[in-house]
Amino acid sequence: MVSTIIRRFLPAFIIVFAYALPAPANDIPMAKLNKAGLYVQPWISKTTGDLRKDLKLAQADGKTLTLLWEQKGCVYCLKMNMVNFRDHKTVNYIKKNFRVIMMDLRGKSDITDFDGDRLPQEVLADKHRVNATPVTSYFKEINSTITEVFRMPGFTGLPLFLNIYEYVAEDGYEKASLSDWLKARAKAE
């Protein structure tokens, strides 16, 4: 009788007990909402207010400048911050290889663009053809010309999210399209 009760209720007990345990510790701090309603990661760099200077700082550290466009109320921005930016491998890779600057699609504060134009972020977004969020744009200076080398429109889950950052860091865009680069990489593994 006791063994019947144990066999019958043990799986339910294990499930309830597992949910009662605290979640595993994650030393990556949670994103916080700023005054504009955007989620801010503590490891994301603050802009100098001049994208040319931001690019120079990225280059001095051997990194790629990344503009991360978000907006208040963006469900996929929230998901990116609460899932992708909580993954240790992803965050450590990004911090090592990229200088990420948060941009507000509806922002009113002025930023100096790569060409010297000083514009509100919302006008700058339009100029860069960013009209939805999240959008991640990667910039490098190639032959003295500032170039957007890749753009990740929208949200993607892990591990593709990390693969895209690797594609940019490894200059994969110079060799193949993202899909061809991923296929070649999968074959090599």
Side-chain angles (χ1 to χ4, degrees):
M1 169 116 171
V2 173
S3 66
T4 305
I5 292 172
I6 290 172
R7 273 186 271 142
R8 189 174 196 195
F9 292 103
L10 186 60
F13 174 75
I14 291 171
I15 291 169
V16 169
F17 182 72
Y19 280 106
L21 291 174
N26 188 339
D27 60 353
I28 298 174
M30 291 292 287
K32 295 190 171 141
L33 275 176
N34 67 11
K35 291 178 184 177
L38 303 180
Y39 289 91
V40 178
Q41 297 289 340
W43 52 268
I44 289 180
S45 302
K46 298 212 182 305
T47 182
T48 62
D50 186 331
L51 295 180
R52 299 167 298 184
K53 289 180 184 175
D54 291 329
L55 180 62
K56 294 288 184 207
L57 289 171
Q59 289 173 322
D61 290 337
K63 298 179 179 184
T64 300
L65 178 64
T66 305
L67 301 183
L68 177 59
W69 291 93
E70 296 189 22
Q71 68 178 314
K72 181 180 180 178
C74 171
V75 174
Y76 289 108
C77 299
L78 172 62
K79 191 168 184 178
M80 180 176 58
N81 278 281
M82 297 305 176
V83 177
N84 295 2
F85 289 156
R86 300 279 297 149
D87 179 70
H88 282 270
K89 184 178 178 183
T90 301
V91 170
N92 289 337
Y93 189 85
I94 294 170
K95 286 169 36 176
K96 180 181 175 189
N97 296 288
F98 298 86
R99 179 179 178 84
V100 181
I101 304 291
M102 170 80 67
M103 302 294 286
D104 185 354
L105 182 72
R106 309 278 178 229
K108 307 294 184 206
S109 61
D110 287 348
I111 301 282
T112 301
D113 197 2
F114 298 112
D115 62 7
D117 287 348
R118 187 138 181 93
L119 307 165
Q121 287 185 58
E122 63 184 355
V123 176
L124 187 65
D126 188 53
K127 180 178 175 184
H128 284 258
R129 299 176 327 278
V130 176
N131 54 19
T133 56
V135 169
T136 310
S137 300
Y138 305 90
F139 291 89
K140 291 187 178 182
E141 188 171 347
I142 301 171
N143 299 325
S144 301
T145 302
I146 298 170
T147 305
E148 181 183 45
V149 295
F150 192 74
R151 178 179 289 208
M152 178 172 40
F155 170 81
T156 185
L158 294 169
L160 181 57
F161 186 81
L162 174 57
N163 291 154
I164 292 169
Y165 277 91
E166 291 168 335
Y167 174 72
V168 173
E170 296 172 19
D171 298 331
Y173 52 85
E174 292 179 350
K175 302 167 190 84
S177 68
L178 176 62
S179 62
D180 289 343
W181 184 84
L182 289 169
K183 287 175 192 171
R185 193 171 192 212
K187 284 181 185 177
E189 291 177 353

